[in-house]
Amino acid sequence: MLKTRQILGCSSGLVSHRWKPYSYTGSRQVSFISISTCSKPLLLLSSSSSSSTILPTTTTLLLPGSSPRRTRLGAFSMSSAHSGPNPGGPSSSVAVHSAGNARKINFCQWCGGPTKHEIPDGEEKIRAICTVCDKITYENPKMVVGCLIEHDNMVLLCKRKIQPSYGLWTLPAGYMEIGESATEGAIRETWEEACAEVEVLSPFAQLDIPLIGQTYVIFLARLKKPHFSPGPESSECRLFAIDDIPFDSLAFSSMVVTLKLYAEDVKAGKLKFHYGIINKKPGTSPSDMHAYTLDYHLQS
């Protein structure tokens, strides 16, 4: 039960991102996406829990016991209901979980000196502080970028030839590199894993996975040329019709969520932009692709 709450305000200033529309050869069409966000979003803190909820100022927060299950968020629709194999969790409140304790860093990344672990002045979390040069080591999430490639009403998947998830199917995706944009990284990863030249059309999904410190950004894309083949990290590349996507043989929970949302959108006749938080079930392996809930799901 939440006992006390503190709302931290937001400064003015909006950032707007617009993506131009594109049309399919069929009847499906995607409208442009307009996203407006506050430069300093609201932070909801609970005195009875270590978790916090960060929300744009236009968000309506659903507290335990409230009746609405869906509300509008600017150009987005927000659903607080869990999806995935664990429908038994709370469905009347927005669930945002902390990733837990960061891994222990014993040596400074700048000078190699030993570190101490304490909360620096003015901060809230335990950090690794160098006892020699006093620098603080901050750990930040990794960004994974990739492409959901459509071709002849099918999607391109790659079978992994490396661990983890050897032999399972995935969208071509990987870690974004320093010096490249998210779209450049997604295009590069697609070339490396599927030897395919693609054109990025629009963003499709951003999925945060706090437990493993990753954020996935998946773009809709199309082949520039109808050619693809396995790269060094893939044993096979294949186009799948929507009804033939191997959901029981996908590599990661992020792939399961992305492709399920895509299949739902295709069957509904309109593709949307999705944001969500993938929370792993407590006590399960981070690599278990089915042990998750999809929380705080926003869609345009």
Side-chain angles (χ1 to χ4, degrees):
M1 178 179 179
L2 300 179
K3 295 181 180 179
T4 61
R5 303 177 186 88
Q6 178 184 7
I7 300 294
L8 302 182
C10 162
S11 64
S12 61
L14 297 177
V15 179
S16 179
H17 303 278
R18 294 180 181 270
W19 292 80
K20 295 182 180 180
Y22 70 95
S23 300
Y24 291 84
T25 55
S27 59
R28 293 185 286 117
Q29 190 176 23
V30 176
S31 301
F32 73 88
I33 298 168
S34 178
I35 307 171
S36 295
T37 57
C38 181
S39 60
K40 293 185 179 179
L42 293 176
L43 176 64
L44 178 69
L45 300 178
S46 168
S47 64
S48 60
S49 171
S50 61
S51 63
S52 61
T53 303
I54 298 177
L55 300 171
T57 53
T58 54
T59 301
T60 299
L61 179 65
L62 300 182
L63 295 175
S66 60
S67 57
R69 293 292 299 278
R70 182 174 290 272
T71 184
R72 298 300 301 176
L73 174 60
F76 291 92
S77 171
M78 179 174 75
S79 174
S80 62
H82 294 258
S83 64
N86 183 23
S91 60
S92 59
S93 62
V94 176
V96 181
H97 302 290
S98 170
N101 295 327
R103 65 184 178 89
K104 191 171 183 179
I105 299 173
N106 295 315
F107 299 97
C108 176
Q109 62 181 343
W110 286 280
C111 72
T115 60
K116 59 183 178 179
H117 294 83
E118 58 185 44
I119 301 176
D121 293 339
E123 298 199 23
E124 299 176 349
K125 292 184 178 181
I126 294 177
R127 309 288 188 184
I129 306 172
C130 183
T131 58
V132 177
C133 68
D134 293 327
K135 289 187 177 180
I136 301 173
T137 298
Y138 292 95
E139 293 185 277
N140 304 107
K142 296 286 188 179
M143 179 174 284
V144 180
V145 291
C147 288
L148 198 168
I149 302 161
E150 301 177 305
H151 184 73
D152 290 342
N153 297 318
M154 295 183 285
V155 294
L156 180 64
L157 299 181
C158 302
K159 181 177 285 189
R160 290 177 61 83
K161 198 170 70 172
I162 58 173
Q163 295 291 357
S165 301
Y166 178 92
L168 298 179
W169 294 93
T170 181
L171 295 170
Y175 290 114
M176 182 175 163
E177 299 281 359
I178 295 294
E180 66 184 5
S181 67
T183 52
E184 290 170 339
I187 291 170
R188 173 186 53 77
E189 287 290 340
T190 301
W191 173 255
E192 291 176 358
E193 296 186 9
C195 299
E197 295 184 52
V198 296
E199 176 188 0
V200 168
L201 302 173
S202 71
F204 176 72
Q206 178 183 336
L207 301 169
D208 295 335
I209 313 179
L211 180 66
I212 58 177
Q214 292 182 357
T215 289
Y216 278 73
V217 178
I218 303 297
F219 295 93
L220 288 171
R222 62 186 173 198
L223 293 172
K224 288 184 176 180
K225 302 175 183 178
H227 305 298
F228 55 86
S229 60
E233 298 181 358
S234 305
S235 61
E236 184 179 354
C237 296
R238 188 194 306 177
L239 290 167
F240 288 88
I242 300 299
D243 292 335
D244 296 330
I245 293 174
F247 283 103
D248 291 333
S249 301
L250 294 178
F252 309 107
S253 57
S254 56
M255 299 295 104
V256 176
V257 171
T258 299
L259 289 167
K260 281 187 175 180
L261 293 173
Y262 176 75
E264 291 172 2
D265 285 358
V266 169
K267 291 177 181 179
K270 180 183 178 182
L271 295 183
K272 304 173 184 178
F273 174 76
H274 299 269
Y275 170 80
I277 300 172
I278 296 177
N279 283 310
K280 297 289 190 175
K281 287 184 181 179
T284 59
S285 168
S287 62
D288 187 339
M289 70 286 298
H290 295 296
Y292 70 90
T293 59
L294 177 62
D295 302 315
Y296 196 52
H297 179 205
L298 307 178
Q299 52 188 323
S300 63

